[in-house]
Amino acid sequence: MTVETEPTHESAAVQAQPQLSLSTAAARNLATTTKTEPQNQDVSSRWLSRLLPWVEVQGGTYRVNRRLNYAVGRGRVAFEQTGVEVRVVPPSLAEVPPLRGYTDRAVLAELAGLFVSRPVSPGQALVEQGAPVAELFLIAHGKLERTGTGKYGERTELGQLADGDHLGEEAVAQAAPRWEYTVRALTAGTVLALPFSAFQQLMDRAPGLRAQLDGYLAGTRRAQNELGEAAIEVAAGHTGEPLLHTTFVDYEPKPREYELAVAQTVLRVHTRVADLYNHPMNQTEQQLRLTVDALKERQEHELVNNPDFGLLHNAAFDQRISTHSGPPTPDDLDELLSMRRETDYLFAHPKAIAAFGRECNRRGLYFGGAEVGGHHLPAWRGVPILPCGKIPVTRGHTSSILAMRVGEQGQGVVGLRQTGIPDELEPGLNVRFMGIDEKAIVSYLVSIYHSAAVLVPDALGILENVQVNGARS
């Protein structure tokens, strides 16, 4: 039901007033608006891609030749958990140096069953300096600290241990091994322990395991430098005519090769749109620009996170350290920088940079700045700290900070790509016409080829377990 009311004299007068000029709404029908290009929020500064030196890979594969290295890398052991029960994944035991390359799954499974799970609480001493080494330890969860005694009896910090690390395996190469450091838990956690007596009994039953250990011990006795490379014998400081050393430089028999990876997508544009709606901006060009931006973002994500060549997965384990207290402190970055002869850049998630700024503020420090490509950026010890949102932040609010030396001349980190490919739009990126289908849709294949290589292990280091949420452990 509606109720009609008589219009007042005032409202009737307003309705009766004639329009004296063209309204703005009608004028817009004849006016050409000032437009922007399509904006894309999902675009970052891409500092890593911009600053990484790109090496031309004409054959599609890049081989990194190194001197023969006897040092066995320290990998991370994996675990599986069922409720409160924690077990080591048997194949991952091959990451422990004496077992590197051992593939007998049955023996590894039996060995994994010999580990005993133990909880640790904050402040608890797992081992004491000077005590006999009787067990091999695997850290399933938590953070531990190694400390020693300095020249004058002072306490010295020797580093941190975290999930997947192990200690005690060096005892297999010693006659009467004793712990050279003390290990205490910084947080609550879980470790798995293997008595060496049980390990010895298993070797007596498994000849292949005994042969594996003998091969490892033979490798530790070969002449090598402090980095584990085959030694080059040189005489110095002698007088007269002594018999000089003979030597040669040995190479790795199986150097690593990096194949170029690809990120691709198919861009589709209807011919009606491409034919009629190109003023003032070309629709196909704008579609292609936004697609290329997305591919470049994906490229940088792969350079950081790809499990095969990504930087987070290719840093040597002896080039990884954990934060001392949780947030990234000046002490942490100093230790990270000290691990290589030169560091060109630090890359961190913006939240990690903010966390480092808070720690500097807390100590009354200012972390300086540096000019990079005309931009003023924060720096520490003169090394620019560059934002990289592709470095992940975990659900536990932890991230990583990358420190790297770049370029082939400096034996650093390099990007890999091939230029001169068919239908190339930019170096390493091409757009290939795929045809028009029966629905009048034009298709273009857009591809970008890339990879990355770490030439020597100390070119890349990572500060792990960086808390970014402002909490202190």
Side-chain angles (χ1 to χ4, degrees):
M1 178 178 178
T2 61
V3 178
E4 295 183 1
T5 60
E6 292 293 332
T8 63
H9 294 289
E10 183 178 355
S11 62
V14 171
Q15 292 177 1
Q17 287 183 352
Q19 183 174 326
L20 302 179
S21 65
L22 183 67
S23 69
T24 56
R28 285 172 57 88
N29 294 331
L30 300 181
T32 300
T33 60
T34 302
K35 305 174 182 66
T36 68
E37 291 185 342
Q39 304 299 300
N40 184 6
Q41 187 175 348
D42 190 26
V43 174
S44 65
S45 55
R46 296 197 292 265
W47 280 110
L48 177 61
S49 301
R50 292 162 58 184
L51 296 178
L52 201 62
W54 290 92
V55 174
E56 182 70 16
V57 183
Q58 286 294 341
T61 302
Y62 186 76
R63 177 181 295 165
V64 178
N65 290 308
R66 295 176 177 172
R67 282 174 58 184
L68 179 62
N69 196 316
Y70 295 128
V72 180
R74 297 176 58 85
R76 295 281 174 88
V77 179
F79 302 89
E80 54 186 4
Q81 182 176 3
T82 305
V84 296
E85 183 181 1
V86 180
R87 298 180 300 275
V88 60
V89 177
S92 71
L93 285 173
E95 297 296 336
V96 180
L99 300 177
R100 177 60 62 89
Y102 189 65
T103 57
D104 191 325
R105 291 181 174 271
V107 175
L108 290 176
E110 186 175 355
L111 181 62
L114 298 176
F115 282 88
V116 178
S117 176
R118 295 180 187 170
V120 293
S121 55
Q124 177 183 343
L126 187 63
V127 301
E128 293 285 356
Q129 184 177 8
V133 180
E135 295 175 304
L136 167 68
F137 293 98
L138 307 178
I139 302 171
H141 177 65
K143 184 187 291 188
L144 292 86
E145 180 183 41
R146 292 190 304 165
T147 59
T149 303
K151 180 179 179 180
Y152 301 102
E154 74 278 12
R155 178 178 177 272
T156 58
E157 295 184 2
L158 302 178
Q160 314 253 323
L161 300 168
D163 302 4
D165 283 329
H166 34 84
L167 64 154
E169 71 277 356
E170 63 272 14
V172 300
Q174 303 174 20
R178 292 186 176 274
W179 290 107
E180 298 179 355
Y181 44 79
T182 297
V183 178
R184 294 185 183 276
L186 296 176
T187 66
T190 302
V191 300
L192 274 65
L194 170 68
F196 278 115
S197 58
F199 181 65
Q200 182 65 47
Q201 293 173 5
L202 180 59
M203 282 197 299
D204 294 338
R205 301 194 307 270
L209 184 59
R210 169 68 69 179
Q212 169 72 23
L213 182 61
D214 291 342
Y216 169 76
L217 295 177
T220 61
R221 300 188 187 103
R222 295 169 184 166
Q224 52 188 269
N225 61 21
E226 61 182 8
L227 299 176
E229 296 174 325
I232 301 175
E233 299 293 344
V234 177
H238 53 279
T239 59
E241 299 178 349
L243 185 64
L244 298 179
H245 296 294
T246 61
T247 191
F248 67 97
V249 182
D250 207 352
Y251 304 135
E252 281 187 345
K254 296 181 179 179
R256 179 167 179 181
E257 295 183 347
Y258 295 83
E259 294 185 0
L260 292 182
V262 62
Q264 293 177 307
T265 189
V266 176
L267 172 63
R268 293 179 175 177
V269 182
H270 199 286
T271 53
R272 182 172 64 252
V273 172
D275 292 342
L276 301 179
Y277 298 93
N278 284 324
H279 185 75
M281 301 172 194
N282 185 288
Q283 291 283 356
T284 302
E285 289 182 359
Q286 294 302 318
Q287 288 281 301
L288 184 59
R289 179 180 65 83
L290 296 173
T291 302
V292 167
D293 274 342
L295 275 177
K296 287 183 176 180
E297 292 292 327
R298 182 65 185 187
Q299 177 193 45
E300 186 163 276
H301 178 275
E302 292 293 301
L303 291 174
V304 174
N305 297 287
N306 186 282
D308 181 38
F309 60 84
L311 299 179
L312 284 178
H313 298 277
N314 280 270
F317 285 102
D318 58 2
Q319 293 292 324
R320 299 170 183 262
I321 58 173
S322 291
T323 57
H324 287 79
S325 59
T329 65
D331 296 335
D332 294 324
L333 288 197
D334 283 344
E335 185 176 357
L336 183 64
L337 294 176
S338 71
M339 298 169 65
R340 61 202 43 79
R341 62 176 182 266
E342 181 182 359
T343 302
D344 293 320
Y345 304 111
L346 292 164
F347 290 93
H349 192 280
K351 290 185 177 180
I353 297 176
F356 179 64
R358 288 193 294 270
E359 291 303 307
C360 289
N361 293 339
R362 186 174 284 114
R363 300 185 182 201
L365 300 175
Y366 179 68
F367 52 91
E371 290 287 336
V372 178
H375 297 268
H376 188 74
L377 297 169
W380 181 250
R381 306 297 188 195
V383 180
I385 306 175
L386 299 156
C388 181
K390 309 304 186 300
I391 300 175
V393 175
T394 68
R395 292 184 178 179
H397 304 288
T398 61
S399 186
S400 300
I401 296 178
L402 277 65
M404 68 179 70
R405 183 176 64 251
V406 299
E408 280 189 310
Q409 294 298 321
Q411 294 183 315
V413 180
V414 296
L416 308 176
R417 70 184 179 194
Q418 183 179 142
T419 59
I421 56 180
D423 302 315
E424 188 172 62
L425 181 67
E426 297 181 15
L429 185 150
N430 65 352
V431 181
R432 311 199 74 175
F433 176 68
M434 297 177 63
I436 305 174
D437 65 13
E438 64 277 5
K439 295 182 179 179
I441 296 178
V442 185
S443 297
Y444 300 92
L445 176 64
V446 189
S447 309
I448 188 168
Y449 298 92
H450 59 273
S451 188
V454 182
L455 300 189
V456 295
D458 80 330
L460 175 65
I462 300 180
L463 178 64
E464 299 181 313
N465 303 313
V466 175
Q467 286 188 351
V468 300
N469 60 350
R472 296 182 64 87
S473 61

